[in-house]
Amino acid sequence: MKTLNDPKNYKKNIKAFHPKTNYFMNCLKAFLVGGFICLVGEAIQKAYAAFTDYTEKSAGNPTVATLILISSLLTGFGVYDKIGQFAGAGSLIPVTGFANSITSAALEHKSEGIVLGIATNMFKLAGSVIVFGVVSATVFGLIRLTVNNLLG
Amino acid sequence: MKIGKQTWRFQEPVYLISTGTTAGPLEKRGPLGETIDKTFDDLHCGEKNWEAAERRLMREAVDICLKNVNLSPEEVDYFLAGDLLNQTVTSNFIARETRIPYLGLFGACSTSMMGLALASLLVDGGYANHVLTAVSSHNATAERQFRYPTEYGGPRPQTATFTATGAGAALVGKARSPIVIREATIGRVIDWGIGDAYDMGSAMAPAAADTIERHLHDTGRNPEDYDMILTGDLSSVGSPILRQLLWERDLDISEIHQDSGLMLYSPNQPVFAGGSGTACSAIVTYGYIVRLLRTGKIGRVLIVATGALLNPTIIQQKESIPCVAHGIVLESTGGE
């Protein structure tokens, strides 16, 4: 009989006591909420193209800015973390999740002052995303350049 | 007097003379909301930042505890306090205000019973007449210190616990009161390899089991000799693990075991597996349990405060969480 009083295999044996993670439901929620955020983005982009001087192509930047603004406001009102708990990756991966990580860190460290509090800590969570974004962009850019030159 | 390997039995009766508890809005709406002396409707507790709010919670708990028995801080010999923040900063600042000779304690969420044990020891040994002990925790200050910013949208698993917002203070002395502090069992640090800060119930259960087993062995009692064995913050994950661990050691506590983290909140509140934090066991013990003992509704209770001695830096270095649990036996003298 399996005994729980076994320090070596404790980590393995306690799995039975943990609530089961429903991966299917998590994926579904992430898909729906993530998809909804993209839908909102699409609508904003179309609206910029239709009602302003932006073209369908150049409307991308103001669209991202608008999504960031909405996400930051929702973070400030204390709503975004609740959406995050529900949607998981669905609200973490889009640009709104990136904005949330920056705004929440800035809010958190407000009490330590503008320079050493907000400015220093703002990219505490987002910093890793930027690092890996820049590094992978460089690597893949080099690969693309090499391949193009070899083929061309 | 030391009995067995890890237990102190106090010779002359040492009394729990007075207590004071404070808490935030979520705890107020929980099942034990009525038993908390003072609650705040806002997590900021009227202060300008979270850390100040936590100090407010401890300050008010200490004030209530002393006012209950009309004692001024000058009449208290020592102040033993701890919290979860770096350098136990909340306690340091309250000690600065009360000007009572002070020892800062850190035992993570086990600090409440660590403080009560040491306070009883000082009184029992004749080194003090009145010792005040207090602990606090605040959900937002703990989140920022140990995890992510409060408003960060990263999801948590269902094994996570929720740091309680509040504080508890207790005054120990020789003056007769309806509650006697009978024994204290000092726990060993136990680490069975859990390194997940979102699963502290599983990490702490072996430490709780060890202290309870040691305590029963040292005192020669059985689980049936207690009306309740109350653990600190094992949550809905760690509690069944503890009962199973002890059951396998031929100790059945399933009838009398309760967990503070599960009592402080109702199941429909958003606290995942249950409450945790230094204040969790203190609010429940110094509020609800003390009321039961005062009125004689329960006779003897073993309180085992469980602490995950987690360090956020070392966790990133892939180490596991050392855990400790300290036990205190409180007895009713038969009701007021």
Side-chain angles (χ1 to χ4, degrees), chain A residues 11-80:
Chain A
K11 207 170 167 176
K12 197 170 77 216
N13 293 341
I14 52 165
K15 290 257 158 65
F17 290 86
H18 287 174
K20 295 274 166 296
T21 310
N22 191 337
Y23 291 105
F24 175 75
M25 276 309 283
N26 284 356
C27 287
L28 189 70
K29 285 189 218 163
F31 174 75
L32 290 176
V33 176
F36 179 74
I37 292 171
C38 296
L39 184 75
V40 171
E42 197 66 30
I44 294 169
Q45 190 167 5
K46 287 271 189 298
Y48 273 123
F51 301 112
T52 66
D53 292 340
Y54 290 112
T55 64
E56 187 88 4
K57 243 186 154 173
S58 65
N61 284 338
T63 302
V64 170
T66 310
L67 283 174
I68 288 173
L69 179 71
I70 295 172
S71 161
S72 300
L73 285 174
L74 288 176
T75 304
F77 289 128
V79 181
Y80 204 88

Side-chain angles (χ1 to χ4, degrees), chain B residues 24-36:
Chain B
L26 209 57
E27 293 74 19
K28 179 186 186 174
R29 291 196 297 271
L32 300 184
E34 293 287 304
T35 66
I36 303 165

Side-chain angles (χ1 to χ4, degrees), chain A residues 1-8 10-11 14 17-20 74-89 91-92 97 100-101 104-105 107-112 124-125, chain B residues 48-51 140-141 143-145 148-159 191-195 199 201-206 209 236-237 240-242 244-249 272:
Chain A
M1 200 196 120
K2 232 186 348 189
T3 161
L4 207 55
N5 280 295
D6 174 5
K8 284 215 163 54
Y10 180 67
K11 207 170 167 176
I14 52 165
F17 290 86
H18 287 174
K20 295 274 166 296
L74 288 176
T75 304
F77 289 128
V79 181
Y80 204 88
D81 60 327
K82 296 192 174 67
I83 300 174
Q85 182 59 40
F86 175 80
S91 59
L92 209 60
N100 163 257
S101 74
S104 62
L107 273 173
E108 194 76 11
H109 293 277
K110 198 179 111 211
S111 64
E112 291 145 62
K124 220 171 157 183
L125 297 163
Chain B
K48 61 182 187 302
N49 60 53
W50 303 126
E51 284 73 17
T141 62
E143 283 302 312
R144 109 137 121 187
Q145 173 137 349
Y148 293 112
T150 27
E151 298 301 337
Y152 179 59
R156 292 139 207 262
Q158 287 303 320
T159 52
D191 183 347
W192 283 9
I194 305 295
D199 184 18
S202 303
M204 294 188 291
S236 60
V237 175
I241 295 178
L242 168 73
Q244 175 73 18
L245 287 171
L246 286 173
W247 185 79
E248 286 177 7
R249 302 178 198 179
F272 306 95

Side-chain angles (χ1 to χ4, degrees), chain B residues 26 76-77 79 84 89 91 122 148 181 192 227 234 285 301 317 334:
Chain B
L26 209 57
V76 179
D77 298 303
F79 178 46
L84 290 174
V89 66
S91 309
L122 288 173
Y148 293 112
I181 304 164
W192 283 9
D227 294 307
L234 292 181
T285 306
V301 53
Q317 297 172 349

Side-chain angles (χ1 to χ4, degrees), chain B:
Chain B
M1 187 179 96
K2 190 179 158 195
I3 56 168
K5 266 190 93 77
Q6 288 167 230
T7 304
W8 301 328
R9 176 169 285 156
F10 304 116
Q11 299 301 295
E12 300 277 318
V14 175
Y15 294 99
L16 184 58
I17 300 174
S18 172
T19 57
T21 50
T22 54
L26 209 57
E27 293 74 19
K28 179 186 186 174
R29 291 196 297 271
L32 300 184
E34 293 287 304
T35 66
I36 303 165
D37 292 320
K38 179 163 185 164
T39 50
F40 292 88
D41 287 316
D42 168 41
L43 264 185
H44 270 108
C45 306
E47 301 287 336
K48 61 182 187 302
N49 60 53
W50 303 126
E51 284 73 17
E54 185 173 336
R55 291 199 287 279
R56 175 83 184 268
L57 288 162
M58 191 192 271
R59 184 182 305 124
E60 299 267 358
V62 164
D63 279 352
I64 294 164
C65 180
L66 293 181
K67 279 214 180 88
N68 275 344
V69 285
N70 291 320
L71 216 64
S72 71
E74 290 82 52
E75 294 168 90
V76 179
D77 298 303
Y78 298 103
F79 178 46
L80 312 178
D83 53 88
L84 290 174
L85 302 188
N86 283 339
Q87 293 87 34
T88 61
V89 66
T90 308
S91 309
N92 298 348
F93 273 70
I94 302 305
R96 181 178 80 176
E97 291 165 19
T98 59
R99 300 172 56 85
I100 308 169
Y102 159 73
L103 293 167
L105 308 176
F106 184 80
C109 312
S110 70
T111 313
S112 56
M113 291 307 119
M114 180 192 197
L116 197 58
L118 291 170
S120 309
L121 190 71
L122 288 173
V123 170
D124 187 57
Y127 296 101
N129 289 322
H130 289 118
V131 181
L132 181 68
T133 176
V135 293
S136 68
S137 59
H138 190 293
N139 185 268
T141 62
E143 283 302 312
R144 109 137 121 187
Q145 173 137 349
F146 292 100
R147 299 184 188 96
Y148 293 112
T150 27
E151 298 301 337
Y152 179 59
R156 292 139 207 262
Q158 287 303 320
T159 52
T161 49
F162 182 88
T163 308
T165 300
L171 186 72
V172 178
K174 285 254 155 103
R176 264 192 79 80
S177 113
I179 304 166
V180 179
I181 304 164
R182 190 64 72 191
E183 284 127 8
T185 301
I186 306 302
R188 302 188 283 188
V189 172
I190 306 279
D191 183 347
W192 283 9
I194 305 295
D196 182 1
Y198 282 126
D199 184 18
M200 301 207 290
S202 303
M204 294 188 291
D210 188 69
T211 300
I212 293 171
E213 186 187 20
R214 273 307 347 162
H215 174 83
L216 295 173
H217 190 263
D218 286 350
T219 55
R221 293 201 197 103
N222 297 311
E224 301 81 69
D225 297 324
Y226 296 85
D227 294 307
M228 189 194 288
I229 293 179
L230 178 78
T231 48
D233 47 5
L234 292 181
S235 77
S236 60
V237 175
S239 296
I241 295 178
L242 168 73
R243 294 196 278 262
Q244 175 73 18
L245 287 171
L246 286 173
W247 185 79
E248 286 177 7
R249 302 178 198 179
D250 293 321
L251 296 167
D252 183 5
I253 61 160
S254 56
E255 295 291 315
I256 48 165
H257 173 245
Q258 299 238 41
D259 186 68
S260 313
L262 295 173
M263 294 162 78
L264 196 55
Y265 304 97
S266 51
N268 58 14
Q269 288 183 303
V271 296
F272 306 95
S276 67
T278 320
C280 189
S281 60
I283 297 171
V284 174
T285 306
Y286 298 154
Y288 177 65
I289 301 294
V290 156
R291 271 168 178 72
L292 292 182
L293 288 163
R294 240 175 223 292
T295 50
K297 284 207 181 89
I298 55 172
R300 181 188 287 146
V301 53
L302 170 63
I303 296 145
V304 182
T306 39
L309 307 171
L310 168 91
N311 178 298
T313 309
I314 308 295
I315 280 286
Q316 301 292 359
Q317 297 172 349
K318 306 279 178 268
E319 294 282 348
S320 50
I321 309 171
C323 295
V324 70
H326 302 301
I328 285 271
V329 174
L330 297 179
E331 285 178 7
S332 171
T333 55
E336 283 177 322

